[in-house]
């Protein structure tokens, strides 16, 4: 069969939420628990519809809160079911305790986070404060630039999560992606089945072989009834960190295999656009990375050698890879749709820490943009880069705080 | 079915006695609860009644402590520990997971304290019951947050001293969790008391056979939290029933029935004054006469309601 034609026939027009729901469906999730919140709500509705129409053989649990949604997922995952949930903003914040729990218990739950600002004051529009605030919960975080990446990332998320027993959060920008329709190549169920084997849990819940999970665990290793020394709390935490550190390999390998099967490769922790000859690099995460490409086009027209680095995986943070990719640049301009209050944008801090001790010598500028759905125009990004270049040329090096692109 | 009989899987009824209950122990000796802990006693009978064919989910509580410290436990049934507020949501996940995988024959058992039930976990519990989740929820009630050192809960009685009501005692009475759960229209609600283990055992066995959300509220006196000698646990539990502080009953498909000692007390109409129960416990040392009066009236009113309901069911 002609591969190209097959792919063309499977191109659907989907908004981001439908792409996410399709991704979960194709992954044959078995237990779904979710609670509606703008702009994620259509994901819950689509999945309920799949289940009611029997297009998807899954248990849909209409829980009363996000905290319970993730609690349902963790326990169902312990029984051995593949689980899915989706949320945004306050819902993700409400899950905070359970995010830690899922990662601590090493459960391969997959969560779609439709990025939205967080109150007070109320705001339902897009920024990335919600998921960035959860970066230390032990989850892998993947950010999609477009709706195709949402669908593809969810399918890959299960492969990644279930091979290393670490939960994965697939993040995509509210409205910008969630409610914007784009062509999406929807793979066949058979192809996804080939890519994604059945979930094999590491937990056993069987009266014939009774085990207690997540008991009180002391800091130090302790001997069990057979005299075997078992991990203390500290060792368990180390193992989670080690899993996250090593997950880079898995993420890239899974992304590569996905590419071989579906023709779209994800064999990298970030997207690169014209980095080869760039002495100025724009860094952004999620759909903003697409806007950055337009800004780079404008700057190139003006004779500036500008490239774009679109962060795809925020946790684990690709330190070494980034340091290598940014080695030749003179200036790195970062656009953050989040703010770590009292410091700067989170991706800026991470990139600085990645470059420290590496041969990279770039000056770093951080711009806080797009909070609460404030439009980020390519023209504004290009201007910010030009301003940065000008001041750097005048000897004004790294600044203590980020600049905000807003009216103050 | 006559009182004291329980339907086993065969089609015969047999009176539950200390002799014919499940011999096997699922709670091995040597757990970390306090001496004379009624929770430990109740849990032993609960697991016996279910013959170990369970997956248990347990939130933060004294029961977590009972379950031991990694990698040693004295509990021989599969168990998932879950965050404090999530007991019923966790149970929902277990039920959904088992269903998704086509696994049958196990009871999903959620066991939580009064803090985990009346307070932080009530939202998840109410929702699980409303969704008619097929599980057995057992609240063991020691009328306070004992795991964190005895602070007030939504189940701490009026006048009781606790870590957060340290001098004048609690100014409000407890909420009636069994009534709240009954209002969900679930198929089985019962109260029980660790001092009456056979009644508890029978209720758990009955609950096991029913599908849907089943709720049992088990009263468990707590020596360090309530201030009585640990040798007196059983006596305190009995006094609670004899004075009407605890009423043993079950509501099966809306039909109310007094059971065990509460049924005999009703027949003889000999409820003891509540004071006899209160004076045995250090936590009530500063209770006022007015508060005792309020509590006595509360007990009387509830007792009358139960007698009326029992009468209604019989007529
Ligand atoms: C979210 C959260 N808040 C607080 C705690 C601390 N905590 C652990 S157990 C407990 C009290 C438990 O009370 P109860 O449910 O009545 O059980 P008991 O200890 O009395 O057996 C508290 C407050 C916690 N684990 N999680
Ligand atoms: S504090 Fe009370 S309920 Fe907790 S273990 Fe001790 S006696 Fe049992
Ligand atoms: Mg308690």
């Amino acid at each position: 069969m002609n591969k190209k034609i097959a792919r063309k026939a499977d191109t659907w027009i989907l908004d981001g939420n439908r792409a996410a729901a399709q991704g979960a469906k194709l992954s044959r999730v078995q237990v779904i628990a979710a609670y509606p919140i703008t702009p994620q709500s259509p994901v819950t509705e689509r999945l309920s519809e799949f289940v009611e129409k029997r297009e998807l053989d899954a248990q849909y649990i209409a829980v009363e809160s996000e905290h319970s949604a993730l609690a349902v997922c963790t326990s169902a995952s312990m029984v051995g079911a593949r689980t899915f949930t989706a949320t945004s903003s306050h819902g993700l914040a409400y899950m905070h305790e359970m995010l830690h729990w899922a990662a601590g218990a090493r459960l391969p739950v997959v969560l779609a986070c439709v990025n939205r600002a967080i109150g007070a004051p109320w705001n339902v529009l897009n920024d990335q404060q919600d998921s960035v605030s959860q970066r230390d919960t032990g989850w892998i975080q993947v950010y999609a630039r477009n709706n195709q990446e949402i669908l593809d990332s969810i399918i890959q998320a299960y492969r990644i999560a279930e091979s290393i027993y670490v939960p994965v959060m697939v993040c995509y920008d509210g409205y910008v992606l969630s409610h914007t329709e784009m062509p999406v190549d929807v793979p066949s169920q058979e192809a996804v089945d080939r890519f994604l084997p059945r979930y094999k849990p590491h937990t056993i819940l069987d009266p014939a072989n009774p085990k207690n999970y997540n008991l009180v665990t002391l800091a130090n290793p302790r001997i069990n009834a057979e005299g075997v020394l078992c991990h203390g709390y500290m060792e368990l935490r180390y193992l989670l960190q080690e899993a996250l550190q090593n997950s880079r390999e898995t993420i890239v390998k899974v992304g590569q295999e996905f590419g071989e099967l579906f023709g779209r490769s994800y064999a990298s922790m970030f997207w690169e656009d014209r980095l080869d000859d760039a002495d100025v690099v724009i860094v952004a995460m999620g759909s903003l990375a697409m806007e950055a490409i337009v800004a780079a086009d404008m700057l190139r027209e003006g004779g500036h050698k500008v490239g774009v680095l679109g962060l795809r995986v925020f946790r684990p943070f690709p330190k070494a890879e980034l340091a290598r990719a940014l080695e030749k640049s003179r200036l790195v301009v970062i656009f953050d749709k989040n703010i770590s209050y009292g410091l700067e944008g989170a991706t800026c801090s991470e990139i600085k820490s990645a470059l420290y001790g590496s041969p990279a010598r770039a000056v770093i500028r951080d711009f806080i943009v797009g909070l609460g759905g404030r439009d980020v125009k390519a023209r504004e990004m290009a201007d910010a880069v030009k301003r940065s270049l000008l001041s750097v040329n005048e000897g004004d090096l790294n600044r203590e705080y980020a600049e905000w692109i807003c009216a103050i | 079915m006559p009182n004291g009989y329980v339907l086993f899987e065969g089609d015969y009824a047999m009176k539950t006695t200390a002799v014919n209950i499940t011999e096997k122990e699922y709670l091995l000796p040597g757990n970390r609860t306090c001496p004379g802990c009624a929770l430990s006693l109740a849990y032993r009978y609960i697991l016996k009644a279910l013959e170990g064919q369970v997956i248990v989910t347990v939130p933060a509580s004294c029961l977590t402590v009972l379950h031991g410290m990694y990698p040693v436990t004295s509990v021989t049934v599969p168990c998932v520990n879950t965050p404090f507020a999530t007991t019923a949501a966790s149970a929902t996940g277990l039920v959904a997971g088992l269903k998704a995988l086509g696994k049958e024959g196990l009871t999903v058992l959620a066991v939580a304290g009064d803090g985990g039930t009346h307070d932080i976990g009530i939202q998840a519990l109410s929702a699980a019951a409303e969704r008619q989740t097929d599980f057995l929820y057992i609240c063991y009630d020691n009328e306070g947050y004992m795991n964190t050192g005895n602070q007030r809960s939504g189940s701490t009685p009026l006048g009781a001293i606790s870590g957060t009501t340290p001098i004048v005692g609690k100014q409000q009475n407890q909420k009636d969790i069994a009534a709240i759960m009954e209002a969900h229209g679930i198929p089985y609600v019962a109260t029980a008391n660790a001092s009456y283990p056979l009644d508890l055992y029978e209720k758990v066995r009955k609950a096991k056979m029913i599908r849907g959300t089943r709720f049992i509220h088990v009263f468990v006196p707590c020596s360090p939290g309530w201030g009585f000698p640990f040798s007196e646990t059983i006596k305190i539990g009995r006094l609670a029933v004899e004075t009407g502080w605890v009423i043993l009953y079950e509501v099966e498909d809306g039909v109310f029935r007094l059971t065990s000692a509460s049924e005999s007390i009703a027949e003889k109409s000999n409820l003891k004054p509540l004071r006899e129960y209160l004076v045995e416990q250090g936590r009530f040392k500063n209770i006022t006469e007015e508060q005792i009066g309020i509590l006595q009236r509360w007990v009387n009113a509830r007792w009358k309601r139960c007698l009326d309901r029992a009468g209604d069911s019989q007529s």
Side-chain angles (χ1 to χ4, degrees):
Chain A
M1 189 169 58
N2 184 324
K3 231 178 165 182
K4 257 192 191 149
I5 290 172
R7 232 182 274 148
K8 197 167 181 197
D10 291 331
T11 300
W12 300 8
I13 303 297
L14 294 178
D15 64 25
N17 284 335
R18 282 176 189 271
Q22 276 298 329
K25 177 172 179 269
L26 286 167
S27 302
R28 292 192 191 274
V29 295
Q30 293 166 301
V31 174
I32 303 157
Y35 192 76
I37 182 167
T38 304
Q40 156 270 24
S41 306
V43 183
T44 64
E45 293 177 353
R46 288 294 76 70
L47 287 167
S48 311
E49 193 182 316
F50 292 150
V51 173
E52 284 196 5
K53 282 182 172 164
R54 296 173 190 272
E55 288 174 17
L56 174 62
D57 183 17
Q59 303 292 312
Y60 185 93
I61 313 292
V63 283
E64 84 302 337
S65 74
E66 291 83 358
H67 196 269
S68 287
L70 202 44
V72 167
C73 288
T74 53
S75 285
S77 182
M78 294 198 75
V79 173
R82 181 173 286 163
T83 61
F84 180 74
T85 186
T87 190
S88 290
S89 180
H90 290 258
L92 191 69
Y94 203 37
M95 280 181 179
H96 180 70
E97 177 185 35
M98 290 312 301
L99 291 173
H100 275 289
W101 196 268
R106 305 295 299 270
L107 299 170
V109 178
V110 172
L111 180 158
C113 174
V114 191
N115 288 116
R116 164 184 153 182
I118 198 154
W122 285 119
N123 181 300
V124 297
L125 302 178
N126 166 245
D127 66 39
Q128 294 169 347
Q129 192 71 20
D130 50 2
S131 52
V132 166
S133 298
Q134 303 297 344
R135 67 182 174 182
D136 297 334
T137 53
W139 285 59
I140 289 173
Q141 284 197 0
V142 178
Y143 288 78
R145 292 182 305 175
N146 55 42
N147 297 351
Q148 183 71 63
E149 288 183 21
I150 297 171
L151 184 143
D152 294 350
S153 300
I154 287 174
I155 297 169
Q156 289 171 62
Y158 283 102
R159 261 292 289 278
I160 298 162
E162 291 170 8
S163 34
I164 58 172
Y165 299 105
V166 173
V168 179
M169 194 181 292
V170 176
C171 308
Y172 57 95
D173 291 310
Y175 293 104
V176 183
L177 299 182
S178 70
H179 287 66
T180 305
E181 292 189 331
M182 300 173 193
V184 175
D185 188 347
V186 180
S188 70
Q189 186 66 63
E190 300 74 56
V192 176
D193 289 347
R194 247 179 291 141
F195 176 74
L196 191 60
R198 283 176 72 102
Y199 165 41
K200 286 190 212 75
H202 66 95
T203 44
I204 299 164
L205 291 173
D206 178 8
N209 182 10
K211 290 178 185 293
N212 276 232
Y213 288 100
N214 303 315
L215 283 172
V216 175
T217 303
L218 297 179
N220 290 331
R222 208 163 165 252
I223 286 169
N224 73 8
E226 280 85 45
V228 180
L229 193 64
C230 297
H231 293 315
Y233 181 87
M234 185 101 182
E235 284 70 27
L236 295 179
R237 286 298 85 109
Y238 172 81
L239 289 174
L240 179 57
Q241 162 66 1
E242 187 185 60
L244 266 288
Q245 278 175 18
N246 296 344
S247 68
R248 291 189 288 191
E249 232 172 79
T250 312
I251 293 166
V252 169
K253 199 175 127 253
V254 167
Q256 186 178 339
E257 269 182 49
F258 188 91
E260 283 158 16
L261 251 160
F262 300 101
R264 295 179 296 277
S265 179
Y266 291 74
S268 171
M269 304 288 280
F270 43 79
W271 302 108
E272 295 181 24
D273 178 59
R274 290 167 283 179
L275 285 197
D276 291 342
D277 67 335
D279 59 0
V280 177
V281 178
I282 305 177
V283 182
M285 194 158 73
S287 63
L288 196 55
M290 298 305 255
E291 208 60 29
I293 292 176
V294 182
D297 291 343
M298 293 174 176
L299 288 160
R300 286 230 170 218
E301 271 171 36
H304 302 287
K305 286 187 176 163
V306 179
V308 176
L309 191 149
L311 268 180
R312 189 172 82 85
V313 184
F314 181 59
R315 279 292 180 279
F317 196 74
K319 281 182 80 164
E321 298 89 327
L322 256 162
R324 241 177 283 126
L326 297 176
E327 199 175 304
K328 286 182 291 179
S329 47
R330 189 158 67 91
L331 172 67
V332 175
V333 184
I334 300 157
F335 291 91
D336 266 303
K337 270 193 186 175
N338 69 84
I339 171 73
S340 176
Y341 292 105
L343 186 58
E344 59 201 356
T347 57
C348 176
S349 297
E350 319 292 46
I351 287 168
K352 281 181 179 170
S353 100
L355 298 193
Y356 186 81
S358 82
R361 286 291 172 268
V363 172
I364 292 178
R365 280 298 150 79
D366 188 24
F367 291 91
I368 307 298
V369 295
L371 301 189
R374 179 73 69 98
D375 207 14
V376 189
K377 297 187 182 74
R379 166 62 53 206
E380 284 172 325
M381 295 174 86
D383 286 348
V385 172
K386 274 195 238 164
R387 271 207 312 281
S388 304
L389 262 171
L390 216 64
S391 64
V392 169
N393 290 342
E394 285 166 4
D396 176 8
L397 299 181
N398 292 330
R399 299 213 172 134
E400 192 178 359
Y401 291 114
E403 270 178 60
W404 288 54
I405 300 189
C406 70
I408 302 176
Chain B
M1 198 161 45
N3 180 26
Y5 287 80
V6 60
L7 203 59
F8 282 88
E9 274 141 81
D11 57 349
Y12 59 94
M14 182 169 70
K15 186 157 176 51
T16 304
T17 67
V19 176
N20 64 18
I21 62 165
T22 311
E23 241 177 75
K24 190 167 170 194
E25 297 293 345
Y26 300 92
L27 185 54
L28 303 180
N31 69 56
R32 291 176 175 267
T33 51
C34 311
C37 176
L39 160 62
S40 194
L41 178 65
Y43 199 41
R44 178 174 167 225
Y45 281 88
I46 291 164
L47 295 182
K48 273 175 177 281
L50 296 166
E51 293 175 79
Q53 292 306 300
V54 290
I55 299 179
V56 195
T57 179
V58 174
S61 59
C62 283
L63 187 55
T64 318
V65 175
L66 184 153
H67 265 262
M69 273 197 281
Y70 181 78
V72 181
T73 179
S74 59
V75 188
T76 61
V77 294
C79 169
V80 166
N81 282 271
T82 196
F84 197 19
T86 64
T87 321
S90 166
T92 303
L94 296 174
V95 171
L98 289 170
K99 211 166 168 193
L101 299 177
K103 291 188 182 165
E104 284 169 13
L106 290 180
T107 298
V108 170
L109 172 66
V111 189
D114 48 297
T117 304
H118 301 51
D119 297 343
I120 200 167
I122 197 167
Q123 171 177 318
L125 172 58
S126 174
E130 183 270 334
R131 290 190 305 265
Q132 303 182 5
T133 308
D134 184 19
F135 78 125
L136 170 57
Y137 189 107
I138 297 183
C139 166
Y140 69 90
D141 191 352
N142 51 23
E143 299 184 341
Y145 298 164
M146 295 313 170
N147 182 250
T148 40
N150 185 17
Q151 296 85 23
R152 105 197 258 289
S153 79
S155 186
T156 303
L158 174 71
I161 282 170
S162 75
T164 47
T165 52
I167 296 154
V168 291
K170 195 180 164 199
Q171 296 300 297
Q172 308 81 17
N173 199 15
Q174 62 182 201
K175 55 172 125 167
D176 189 342
I177 194 70
I180 292 170
M181 290 315 295
E182 201 189 327
H184 286 73
I186 57 179
Y188 189 74
V189 174
T191 61
N193 179 323
S195 297
Y196 301 86
L198 298 184
D199 180 61
L200 167 64
Y201 181 89
E202 287 178 350
K203 285 169 176 165
V204 175
R205 291 204 56 112
K206 181 180 275 188
K208 179 187 165 186
M209 305 307 289
I210 296 168
R211 297 278 70 81
T213 303
R214 299 141 271 162
F215 180 83
I216 304 180
H217 182 209
V218 187
F219 183 76
V220 290
C222 166
S223 142
W226 299 5
F228 62 80
F230 59 72
S231 54
E232 303 296 295
T233 301
I234 301 300
K235 180 180 147 192
I236 296 289
R238 288 202 177 140
L239 266 173
V241 172
E242 287 158 7
T243 58
W245 178 254
V246 168
I247 302 170
L248 300 173
Y249 66 83
E250 65 182 7
V251 188
E252 200 181 341
D253 282 328
V255 180
F256 180 96
R257 191 172 78 85
L258 288 167
T259 69
S260 183
S262 291
E263 192 185 30
S264 345
I265 294 166
E267 277 162 13
K268 297 186 202 124
S269 327
N270 61 348
L271 212 55
K272 289 180 180 168
L274 184 65
R275 186 185 301 273
E276 288 185 29
Y277 167 70
L278 302 175
V279 294
E280 296 288 327
Q281 305 169 51
R283 63 177 169 158
F284 293 115
K285 68 176 185 222
N286 290 346
I287 195 167
T288 63
E289 282 305 314
E290 192 196 348
Q291 286 171 327
I292 295 177
I294 294 171
L295 287 179
Q296 185 65 64
R297 283 193 295 281
W298 181 79
V299 164
N300 293 349
R302 194 173 59 159
W303 181 237
K304 181 172 183 306
R305 267 200 316 277
C306 286
L307 290 179
D308 289 349
R309 289 188 76 185
D312 287 350
S313 313
Q314 266 163 15
S315 58

